[in-house]
Amino acid sequence: MQHHQILVVGGGAGGIAVARSLMKRRSKLDVAIVEPSDTHYYQPGFTMVGGGIFHKEMTARPEDSVFPAAATRYRAAVSSFEPDKNQVTLKNGDRLSYDWLIAAPGLKLDWDAVPGLSDALGKGGVTSNYRYDLAPYTWELVQGLKGGNAIFTQPPMPIKCAGAPQKAMYLSCSEWEKQGVLGSIDVTFANAGPVLFGVEAYAKALMPYVERYGAKLAFGHNLKSIDGAAKRATFATAEGDVVMDYDMLHVTPPQCSLDFVRNSPLANDAGWIDVDQTTLQHNKYANVFSLGDAMSAPNAKTAAAARKQAPIVAENLLSVMGGGQPTHGYDGYGSCPLTVENGKVILAEFGYGGKLLPSFPWDSTVPRKAAWFLKARFLPWLYWNGMLKGREWLAGPKRIAAKG
Ligand code: FAD
């Protein structure tokens, strides 16, 4: 059995960033990363692909190109955590042991939870920006639709990038407005939840766009099944099932923790890796930390959140490794650049409890061209060249305030 000082599970946004942050602080660490995929995706770019702004190739790079050269790579998937033995088992049956574990395997897009969805996707007007290969189909549908019903769904929270379901709608409407066909298209936002956005200040700021595009808000509508042949979607509501015909259907799939996470001793009752929301240390296993979409903290699950979490986990792990206590704290920061029209973004930035945490000295509820520039140019650059390289720009970790 191979042993490593630090084992990182998942080489996505959080896993690569935290490995870099650790190795930047201490170059001699023995770090191994377990990651099955050959491709690393910049998922925040998928929305821009669906909106016809990015080519899909701009959102993917070979995994090897983002890997820290000094880390050991296991091109494999973990199938179980055994934290009482300080071990993980891989899908091929091999085991790895560790002194310190960082779990960052992301979450599960549960396509099969909606009967009919998997079969319907990618044809007959059914698409999703949540899949790299399907985001271009969103744009193809948007360009082709000249009239009829367009439905955009949002499943129950938590999901990654809570704004992405409606970003797809706004960018589609923006294009239809430009083409002069918006008036012939009935747009519905079918949201399982009760509000447009979880932070009231941003929900308020979005309403003028909902009105401008004439979108109907169907709250409490949870996608239940799809009949792809009949182009019909059924939604569960408190008043019973509601059936809607569609010409275009953009689906955000239900999301939950990965099976091997949910079935492990690391999970809380809801299935997420059970961490302290400030230190990101596991609540039961002191040699385990977690970040990104897989863990239990009630922040918005975003790459922007993982960018802030990575240096905090690095600092705290090194402190605990040296016999100390966690020294740095996470305030729940997450960010969601809401692409309300082609050329303007409301840059939602907030922390625990919906507290607004703008990075810039401006009113973040105002749609801005400068924020569009950030989304379209700066943030992808920051991701590939900052976050994934251990350069902690816009992510300096904050010390936990001393008590008393
Ligand atoms: P991921 O980046 O998903 O990485 C998880 C990694 O774990 C993957 O590489 C995966 O292959 C690996 N893995 C999976 N299973 C195993 C296993 N069994 N063993 C080992 N490894 C495993 N965020 C923003 O900040 N802004 C946005 O505008 C934004 N928009 C988004 C739009 C869309 C359509 C989507 C899909 C996401 C968006 N996000 C956005 C969210 C953001 O991409 C995620 O929150 C972020 O990638 C989470 O990082 P992570 O490391 O936890 O998970």
Side-chain angles (χ1 to χ4, degrees), residues 12-14 35-36 43-44 78 105 129-130 161 167 260 292-293 302-304 337 375:
E35 167 58 57
Q43 300 169 44
V78 168
N129 288 348
Y130 276 73
C161 196
K167 292 190 222 179
F260 82 101
D293 296 346
T302 58
K375 170 74 184 161

Side-chain angles (χ1 to χ4, degrees), residues 77-156:
V78 168
S79 60
S80 69
F81 289 117
E82 286 117 66
D84 291 307
K85 295 187 200 154
N86 294 332
Q87 288 178 13
V88 303
T89 302
L90 306 182
K91 274 211 174 118
N92 65 9
D94 289 353
R95 285 165 170 268
L96 301 173
S97 60
Y98 58 81
D99 297 327
W100 302 90
L101 176 72
I102 302 176
L107 55 65
K108 173 175 166 180
L109 299 175
D110 202 359
W111 304 101
D112 292 332
V114 178
L117 174 57
S118 290
D119 286 343
L121 278 167
K123 54 183 187 281
V126 185
T127 189
S128 179
N129 288 348
Y130 276 73
R131 252 177 54 182
Y132 170 75
D133 58 326
L134 289 179
Y137 184 51
T138 303
W139 180 233
E140 191 186 315
L141 290 173
V142 168
Q143 286 175 297
L145 197 70
K146 305 293 174 212
N149 295 332
I151 304 173
F152 296 80
T153 75
Q154 178 170 307

Side-chain angles (χ1 to χ4, degrees), residues 2 13 61 78 94 109 125 138 145 152 177 204 239 281 321 327 330 380 395:
Q2 295 289 330
R61 292 192 185 177
V78 168
D94 289 353
L109 299 175
T138 303
L145 197 70
F152 296 80
E177 188 181 60
K204 239 170 115 185
E239 285 78 40
Q281 185 178 29
M321 193 186 251
T327 47
Y330 173 55

Side-chain angles (χ1 to χ4, degrees), residues 8-16 34-37 39-47 63 76-79 91 104-107 109 129-131 160-161 164 167 255 258 260 291-294 300-307 309 334-337 375 379 383 387:
V8 180
V9 174
I16 296 295
V34 187
E35 167 58 57
S37 175
T39 308
H40 185 107
Y41 296 102
Y42 176 60
Q43 300 169 44
F46 294 179
T47 296
E63 186 71 44
V78 168
S79 60
K91 274 211 174 118
L107 55 65
L109 299 175
N129 288 348
Y130 276 73
R131 252 177 54 182
K160 54 177 155 185
C161 196
K167 292 190 222 179
Q255 298 173 36
L258 290 157
F260 82 101
L291 75 164
D293 296 346
K301 293 184 185 298
T302 58
R307 186 179 77 233
Q309 292 159 6
S335 165
C336 194
K375 170 74 184 161
L379 291 175
Y383 183 81
M387 178 173 171

